[in-house]
Amino acid sequence: MGRQAVREDVARLNPRYDLNSSPTTYIYPFASHESERELCLMEQRALFGQASEGAAYLESPLRLPPNRSPFVQLRLDVLFAAPTLAELSELASLLDLEGLSFKVRYLKCGRRQTYEGEREAERRIGARIRGIAEMRGPDVTFGLLAREEDWVLGISRVAEPVWLAHKEKPNNYSTGLTTAVARALVNIAVPAAEGKRVIDPCCGMGNVLIEALSMGIDIVGRDINPVAVRGARSNLRHFGYDETELVEIGDLNELEGAYDAAIVDLPYNLCSMLLAEERRRMLSSVGRIAPRAVIVSTEPLEREFAGAGLDVTDYCTVAKGHFIRQVWVVRREI
């Protein structure tokens, strides 16, 4: 058994599982700025079918890549749970890493402990694991979590914030979506992304496109503004994507084809000057090309949704300084 195999699926070292099994429970610690808290919860509802609400983590049977969400800090692949730390220590003694290195990290998203208490808990668990203790660059990192009623030990898989690298690009709008918000919108639009076709018909400089493409999602962008299209193509090219087929000039109201979902960040300056009937026409066009959509606007659109034959299934706001966006998840009326 090689080191890479251990890093990818150390859970099989747990003797309660056979060699082909995986953990049945995963814990996802979340962190978000207050201005994006509602968006974080909306993304959780879309991805997991539940929200953590007041808790700092979410437990789910779903196994998602830890870097899927901009708000997930890591994924804990649960190996053992026990009522007390002493009982968890006994279970940890069953782990044999066959000479590989490891460390135990106390997760602060659970019950609060003193600094000394956290280190003592790490030492107690680490002393029972058969392997080489290594604080820097270990082969395996175990996460230790104190929940309200018990203790949990699992494999800690830290999220790589790939979206941070997307902040620096050749072209940006000052009011454009942040990379974190853009990534969350993609997750909300297509939580089960495999096999889905997605469109961003008002793509601007391509922030949503870049986040979706970095997750392997099949997406295309359109925009009526040729300056935006040039900027989006430049940004896509900057990150190594073939922009020629991904972004084209196109009017939302004239688009053809069928997509599984749409992500629409309505143009602010244009939308603020549109009459309600014109906004309704745009939203009707969204419903025509996709049965599900995430709509972003600085203006209330509830009346326009009703007139366009769209039902609202979720709603939140997200702030960027004093700039407030409203986010709706809508579906085409059946």
Side-chain angles (χ1 to χ4, degrees):
M1 181 172 57
R3 292 175 183 268
Q4 182 62 26
V6 173
R7 282 192 287 268
E8 291 297 322
D9 195 10
V10 183
R12 78 192 192 92
L13 298 176
N14 185 336
R16 295 188 303 169
Y17 298 104
D18 63 38
L19 292 180
N20 296 316
S21 69
S22 297
T24 57
T25 300
Y26 303 91
I27 292 175
Y28 300 86
F30 281 82
S32 63
H33 189 272
E34 182 180 353
S35 63
E36 297 174 349
R37 178 63 177 170
E38 290 184 28
L39 184 69
C40 175
L41 294 175
M42 178 185 276
E43 184 196 59
Q44 290 178 9
R45 291 191 291 270
L47 288 175
F48 299 100
Q50 59 175 312
S52 58
E53 300 300 342
Y57 63 86
L58 186 147
E59 184 173 346
S60 173
L62 298 177
R63 184 180 186 272
L64 297 181
N67 65 347
R68 175 78 187 267
S69 165
F71 306 118
V72 169
Q73 297 174 307
L74 59 90
R75 188 187 76 220
L76 185 68
D77 298 4
V78 175
L79 296 176
F80 303 112
T84 67
L85 185 61
E87 291 173 281
L88 189 67
S89 299
E90 290 300 317
L91 292 172
S93 68
L94 299 174
L95 293 172
D96 186 350
L97 301 188
E98 300 183 0
L100 294 174
S101 62
F102 75 94
K103 73 175 179 180
V104 179
R105 177 190 172 198
Y106 185 89
L107 303 182
K108 297 181 181 294
C109 58
R111 274 185 284 143
R112 298 187 65 178
Q113 308 281 332
T114 64
Y115 176 83
E116 293 76 13
E118 293 176 0
R119 303 293 82 74
E120 176 59 23
E122 292 170 345
R123 284 192 290 269
R124 289 184 65 178
I125 296 297
R128 304 305 299 274
I129 298 173
R130 284 170 284 178
I132 302 170
E134 174 60 60
M135 296 306 295
R136 296 183 178 180
D139 295 312
V140 183
T141 298
F142 291 99
L144 176 63
L145 174 65
R147 296 190 294 196
E148 289 301 318
E149 303 296 334
D150 62 2
W151 290 77
V152 173
L153 182 67
I155 310 303
S156 177
R157 306 191 189 278
V158 177
E160 296 181 9
V162 296
W163 57 92
L164 292 181
H166 301 155
K167 294 175 66 175
E168 300 299 327
K169 46 186 173 289
N171 303 281
N172 271 309
Y173 282 140
S174 60
T175 57
L177 298 170
T178 66
T179 56
V181 170
R183 195 173 187 87
L185 295 178
V186 174
N187 287 328
I188 293 165
V190 279
E194 187 174 355
K196 303 294 185 181
R197 292 186 71 223
V198 188
I199 186 169
D200 180 352
C202 302
C203 68
M205 294 297 175
N207 290 1
V208 166
L209 299 177
I210 292 167
E211 295 310 314
L213 291 168
S214 73
M215 291 187 275
I217 293 172
D218 182 6
I219 190 170
V220 294
R222 301 290 183 265
D223 204 289
I224 197 172
N225 184 348
V227 174
V229 169
R230 287 196 296 271
R233 287 176 172 173
S234 174
N235 287 339
L236 288 169
R237 188 165 56 249
H238 178 76
F239 292 110
Y241 297 110
D242 182 3
E243 78 283 1
T244 55
E245 297 183 0
L246 292 174
V247 182
E248 296 179 3
I249 295 176
D251 185 336
L252 169 58
N253 294 318
E254 298 175 0
L255 294 181
E256 298 180 354
Y259 300 86
D260 295 294
I263 304 167
V264 189
D265 184 19
L266 289 172
Y268 308 117
N269 293 334
L270 174 62
C271 196
S272 64
M273 294 162 32
L274 290 176
L275 297 175
E277 182 57 38
E278 292 175 296
R279 291 201 300 267
R280 189 178 300 116
R281 183 184 176 213
M282 294 175 67
L283 294 172
S284 295
S285 296
V286 172
R288 175 175 51 80
I289 62 176
R292 174 183 171 87
V294 175
I295 308 292
V296 183
S297 176
T298 58
E299 296 183 316
L301 297 175
E302 284 78 8
R303 290 185 179 181
E304 282 80 358
F305 287 139
L310 298 174
D311 290 327
V312 176
T313 61
D314 208 346
Y315 169 78
C316 79
T317 62
V318 59
K320 184 179 180 182
H322 297 293
F323 190 64
I324 307 297
R325 288 181 169 92
Q326 300 181 67
V327 182
W328 295 268
V329 181
V330 300
R331 65 182 178 187
R332 187 167 56 208
E333 291 180 355
I334 299 175

